[in-house]
Amino acid sequence: MALTELHWDHHIPLPKLGPVQAKVTVAVVALLCFINSYDGEFVFDDSEAIVNNKDLKPATPLSNIWQNDFWGSNLSSNSSHKSYRPLTVLTFRLNYLIAGGLHPVGFHVLNIILHAVISVLMIDVFAILVGGLDYDERGWTVNHAPKTSLLAAIFFAAHPVHTESVAGVVGRADLLCALFFQLSFLTYCKAFNKGSDRDDRFSVQWVVVSLVLCAAAMLCKEQGITVLGVNAAFDVLLICNVNVYELGHKLLFRKNSLDIVNYNYYYSLNAWLLLCPWWLCFDWSMGCVPLIKSATDWRVVWLLLLWCFLIGLINQALCSPDSQRRRTLTLGLVLLVVPFLPACNIFFRVGFVVAERVLYLSSAGYCLLLAYSLGHCCHRWIKYKKLTCVMLLGLLCMYVVRCALRSHQWRSEQSLFSSALSVCPLNAKVHYNVGKNLADRGNTTAAVKYYREAVRLHPNYVHAMNNLGNILKEQNELTEAEQLLSKAVAVQPDFAAAWMNLGIVQNSLRKFDAAEESYWNALRHRRKYPDCYYNLGRLYADQNRHVDALNAWRNATMLKPDHSLAWNNMVILLDNTGNLGQAELIGREALKLLPNDHTIMFSLANVLGKLQKYKESESFFLHALRIKPNAASCHGNLAVLYHRWGKLELAKKHYELSLKLDPEAPGTRDNYNMLRRKLDQLKHSAP
């Protein structure tokens, strides 16, 4: 099963390192490329898969991981992405438990370590694929291509296209899948470990272990199943020694049905990302890659170049008289193409056209072919050895620098999203994410510009319309906000959040009937929607429908027991309508669930003051001030309590504090002046 001596391997301008030294070198390169992402934030898809994923929380039953998809939705739900990756989610949960919460450093460090381990294992994988499967008398694998396997592993460790998988925490799925993919392949090779003291049968136990590891790869990411294809190709080409030259003649007459031009263009883009990983983007959807609509489109040239190159490569892999070349190129192509098949839109539709994460495994095949090609160039151009060495060093340096720059961009959403503007200026989702990030940081004026551009590029982009409508609502541009939100629900009638926001705008425009209908539309599409019940309660309160308002807010607290605004509004409404006893009961019930909520303490303290429970009211006011000491209204109302209680000096102190914090506080100055007159009267009447 071992191939003959590789005459070109020793010409590669790398030092011949021992197995341990080679692996340490590759690990150091992998760490050097991505170490600066270790203290990055949770960005992009991390918010859904990690920050908002309840399956990571210790309070969630562990069994939920096996029933939910990667994003925490039940697999039976219509909203589920159906991406079943429980082992990946389990590692997220372990990160959460070890760190004691959502601290991104631990998540990022584990990703970097996984990439280093995978890069190191790639030496063994490449050694078998290039140099064949051979063992010494102790049963250890013999590497017949030490320099080629080392160079290919270094290329893999430093390839910039891996940045998304390593620097983005959700890339953990690709990393774990690749790790189990490698282990499955290596254990499958172990099944054929035949030595002088062994019989010619393969080990069934190692094949079973390989299948178990394949299943583990699939439970990390669906792409893991493709290891079966690689194992099969390895079996056919290296174990069974099938004559690829004869097989090629038979295959060349098969009809190729892949004639969809745009998909072929997408393949060429993926190939370009491997070849020249300078233009990288977190998202390639929504107009980033315009469709080819005519045969005269100049981009058709890229398709022709791709297929000319592939046909030439396949011709060499199938028809070369050199058996080593046939095996190496064929296995390199298998490793390049087979892991990419689930993402190629041939067998089933996937939700993307280009994605850097799906190239993590396929890039191993590219790195193998690249190292093999450079080895042959070094062999053929011995007289230009120094030039070849400089070019190789330059390529590796470029990879390392690009990895460092790209992983730095992945440290925060602001830098990640902004970096995509120059790569995909026609991508509506890029503009949307830049706008959302600006809005989250409080810069709504700049956010409006990007949201408008997202809607211009993609007129039916409902999420951009919804977010833009929300900002315009806050800026009191209610008419345009209503138009945008109305269009959003017309495009996507089951968009519950847009229905709720439309109701809020219509309520502000005093279109009460339309607002109520919008709220109920939202609740029809999302039954468990506490924020919608809260806003419905506000609508009823504006219409003086007090019982309906209380019922709506009660529904909100039943669905979300820590809904502070709903609890507080119930207390305030009951207080304003004179139901002080019921207001006190609701306030105490709320504080059992939210013991440190200063707004509920404030409202309950007001109720207790009106019930003349001055001591208890004072206690709640002081507790609220310990939590938020600069609350002017709290100082003002505590001053009123002391004023009623007859503690006039304390009342004077808190009136002055309130006015210092908010000189325009309504009623406070009048009450303060009234107190000062009373104090003057007491001073003058004193003997």
Side-chain angles (χ1 to χ4, degrees):
M1 288 180 287
L3 303 183
T4 56
E5 183 69 23
L6 301 179
H7 57 276
W8 43 265
D9 183 74
H10 66 277
H11 290 291
I12 293 177
L14 285 178
K16 189 172 182 179
L17 303 177
V20 175
Q21 292 173 307
K23 290 177 179 179
V24 169
T25 301
V26 170
V28 169
V29 171
L31 294 173
L32 182 65
C33 288
F34 299 104
I35 193 65
N36 66 340
S37 67
Y38 84 95
D39 60 346
E41 304 169 2
F42 291 121
V43 297
F44 195 37
D45 288 338
D46 295 347
S47 59
E48 289 301 317
I50 297 166
V51 178
N52 299 327
N53 192 343
K54 293 181 180 178
D55 288 345
L56 272 65
K57 310 294 173 61
T60 304
L62 194 61
S63 59
N64 282 23
I65 290 176
W66 305 96
Q67 300 167 8
N68 295 342
D69 66 13
F70 184 56
W71 312 94
S73 300
N74 192 284
L75 285 166
S76 60
S77 169
N78 290 332
S79 61
S80 171
H81 286 240
K82 313 301 182 188
S83 47
Y84 189 59
R85 303 167 189 174
L87 291 186
T88 303
V89 178
L90 185 61
T91 66
F92 291 154
R93 184 163 174 145
L94 289 173
N95 267 127
Y96 186 98
L97 289 172
I98 292 169
L102 289 171
H103 304 294
V105 171
F107 289 83
H108 284 294
V109 167
L110 183 53
N111 270 27
I112 295 168
I113 292 172
L114 281 171
H115 176 64
V117 171
I118 292 163
S119 300
V120 166
L121 286 175
M122 278 297 175
I123 295 177
D124 296 327
V125 173
F126 292 144
I128 293 171
L129 294 178
V130 179
L133 185 60
D134 193 15
Y135 294 94
D136 59 20
E137 62 279 358
R138 293 178 300 170
W140 294 97
T141 307
V142 177
N143 187 348
H144 290 291
K147 291 189 176 183
T148 306
S149 58
L150 173 60
L151 180 59
I154 291 174
F155 281 143
F156 182 87
H159 204 293
V161 84
H162 297 158
T163 310
E164 183 174 352
S165 296
V166 182
V169 178
V170 293
R172 177 83 56 84
D174 300 275
L175 297 171
L176 289 171
C177 175
L179 178 62
F180 286 115
F181 182 105
Q182 290 174 310
L183 294 174
S184 177
F185 174 75
L186 292 172
T187 51
Y188 187 75
C189 295
K190 192 78 174 174
F192 300 95
N193 182 357
K194 303 173 186 176
S196 58
D197 58 340
R198 299 176 178 86
D199 58 31
D200 289 336
R201 292 176 298 175
F202 67 89
S203 169
V204 175
Q205 290 90 338
W206 283 115
V207 173
V208 171
V209 172
S210 177
L211 290 172
V212 170
L213 290 168
C214 171
M218 287 177 62
L219 292 175
C220 295
K221 191 174 181 180
E222 303 76 8
Q223 195 178 15
I225 195 173
T226 59
V227 71
L228 297 178
V230 175
N231 288 349
F234 169 80
D235 202 344
V236 168
L237 296 171
L238 279 177
I239 305 302
C240 300
N241 267 326
V242 170
N243 191 316
V244 188
Y245 183 79
E246 293 179 3
L247 182 65
H249 278 285
K250 297 176 183 178
L251 291 175
L252 287 174
F253 292 101
R254 292 181 64 91
K255 184 179 178 181
N256 187 349
S257 61
L258 302 179
D259 56 355
I260 303 174
V261 173
N262 279 293
Y263 282 151
N264 280 270
Y265 179 57
Y266 300 147
Y267 304 154
S268 67
L269 283 177
N270 281 286
W272 181 249
L273 289 178
L274 290 173
L275 187 64
C276 184
W278 197 258
W279 293 276
L280 299 175
C281 184
F282 71 91
D283 184 90
W284 293 85
S285 63
M286 286 197 174
C288 187
V289 184
L291 293 174
I292 293 176
K293 298 180 179 179
S294 168
T296 58
D297 193 314
W298 68 270
R299 291 174 295 166
V300 173
V301 173
W302 291 111
L303 279 66
L304 299 175
L305 286 174
L306 172 68
W307 281 107
C308 286
F309 177 77
L310 283 178
I311 289 169
L313 203 57
I314 292 169
N315 178 60
Q316 286 292 309
L318 298 180
C319 304
S320 173
D322 186 338
S323 61
Q324 284 184 348
R325 179 177 296 181
R326 289 202 305 269
R327 289 191 182 100
T328 304
L329 291 181
T330 303
L331 288 170
L333 282 168
V334 166
L335 192 55
L336 173 69
V337 174
V338 172
F340 183 71
L341 289 178
C344 69
N345 285 283
I346 295 174
F347 304 106
F348 45 81
R349 291 291 299 273
V350 292
F352 50 83
V353 291
V354 180
E356 292 157 26
R357 281 203 298 263
V358 302
L359 295 175
Y360 190 81
L361 265 173
S362 292
S363 65
Y366 167 77
C367 293
L368 175 59
L369 294 172
L370 180 60
Y372 175 81
S373 302
L374 286 172
H376 268 279
C377 289
C378 292
H379 173 61
R380 286 175 176 271
W381 303 334
I382 297 176
K383 62 174 72 174
Y384 302 112
K385 188 174 181 179
K386 288 186 178 179
L387 177 62
T388 309
C389 186
V390 170
M391 291 174 63
L392 177 59
L393 184 62
L395 178 62
L396 289 174
C397 288
M398 187 193 77
Y399 273 13
V400 172
V401 170
R402 183 63 183 123
C403 279
L405 291 172
R406 186 61 180 158
S407 57
H408 181 78
Q409 291 171 341
W410 271 87
R411 284 162 57 94
S412 71
E413 288 194 333
Q414 180 183 0
S415 58
L416 176 64
F417 297 155
S418 299
S419 69
L421 288 171
S422 59
V423 180
C424 286
L426 300 179
N427 188 338
K429 195 171 182 179
V430 167
H431 292 274
Y432 167 82
N433 279 289
V434 173
K436 187 175 183 298
N437 181 256
L438 287 167
D440 291 343
R441 291 187 289 116
N443 192 352
T444 54
T445 304
V448 167
K449 168 191 168 186
Y450 288 100
Y451 281 141
R452 289 193 188 280
E453 181 64 9
V455 174
R456 186 190 71 81
L457 291 169
H458 190 69
N460 291 333
Y461 196 174
V462 292
H463 293 285
M465 286 187 274
N466 179 58
N467 288 14
L468 178 56
N470 274 339
I471 293 178
L472 294 175
K473 173 192 69 181
E474 298 300 325
Q475 295 177 347
N476 209 35
E477 297 180 33
L478 300 176
T479 302
E480 187 181 359
E482 183 183 22
Q483 291 171 352
L484 281 165
L485 292 166
S486 296
K487 183 178 178 182
V489 296
V491 172
Q492 186 178 326
D494 62 347
F495 193 0
W499 276 116
M500 183 190 74
N501 291 325
L502 178 59
I504 295 171
V505 171
Q506 290 168 333
N507 188 17
S508 300
L509 290 169
R510 306 193 67 78
K511 297 179 180 181
F512 297 129
D513 291 340
E516 184 176 5
E517 184 180 353
S518 294
Y519 287 138
W520 283 114
N521 278 330
L523 291 168
R524 270 192 288 274
H525 295 297
R526 191 192 300 179
R527 293 180 181 178
K528 297 180 180 180
Y529 201 173
D531 287 342
C532 191
Y533 276 113
Y534 165 73
N535 284 297
L536 181 62
R538 289 184 59 191
L539 169 67
Y540 289 146
D542 290 343
Q543 295 178 291
N544 293 321
R545 295 164 60 179
H546 298 151
V547 174
D548 289 335
L550 289 170
N551 287 335
W553 289 328
R554 175 58 78 177
N555 283 334
T557 58
M558 288 174 66
L559 292 170
K560 186 181 179 183
D562 61 347
H563 202 301
S564 172
L565 292 172
W567 284 114
N568 198 42
N569 278 18
M570 281 194 281
V571 176
I572 292 171
L573 179 59
L574 291 167
D575 180 5
N576 292 341
T577 55
N579 296 305
L580 299 179
Q582 194 176 355
E584 181 185 357
L585 291 174
I586 294 292
R588 292 184 187 279
E589 182 185 353
L591 285 177
K592 288 179 183 177
L593 297 166
L594 299 162
N596 295 314
D597 192 302
H598 66 90
T599 59
I600 297 174
M601 289 179 196
F602 172 76
S603 298
L604 179 58
N606 287 331
V607 172
L608 293 170
K610 292 178 183 178
L611 290 170
Q612 297 185 353
K613 297 181 180 181
Y614 296 138
K615 190 67 181 174
E616 202 171 1
S617 175
E618 177 193 31
S619 173
F620 280 116
F621 273 130
L622 292 175
H623 193 174
L625 284 170
R626 280 195 293 274
I627 296 170
K628 193 174 182 181
N630 293 327
S633 58
C634 201
H635 282 291
N637 283 28
L638 178 58
V640 171
L641 175 72
Y642 285 137
H643 200 158
R644 290 178 183 168
W645 201 354
K647 297 186 176 184
L648 303 184
E649 289 301 325
L650 285 172
K652 179 174 180 290
K653 170 188 171 183
H654 284 280
Y655 276 136
E656 289 172 350
L657 284 171
S658 177
L659 289 169
K660 182 179 179 181
L661 292 167
D662 183 8
E664 306 300 322
T668 302
R669 187 162 297 280
D670 292 339
N671 290 337
Y672 178 59
N673 290 334
M674 190 187 306
L675 175 65
R676 288 187 62 181
R677 287 194 295 270
K678 186 172 184 179
L679 288 171
D680 289 342
Q681 289 173 1
L682 290 173
K683 190 183 293 184
H684 290 312
S685 62

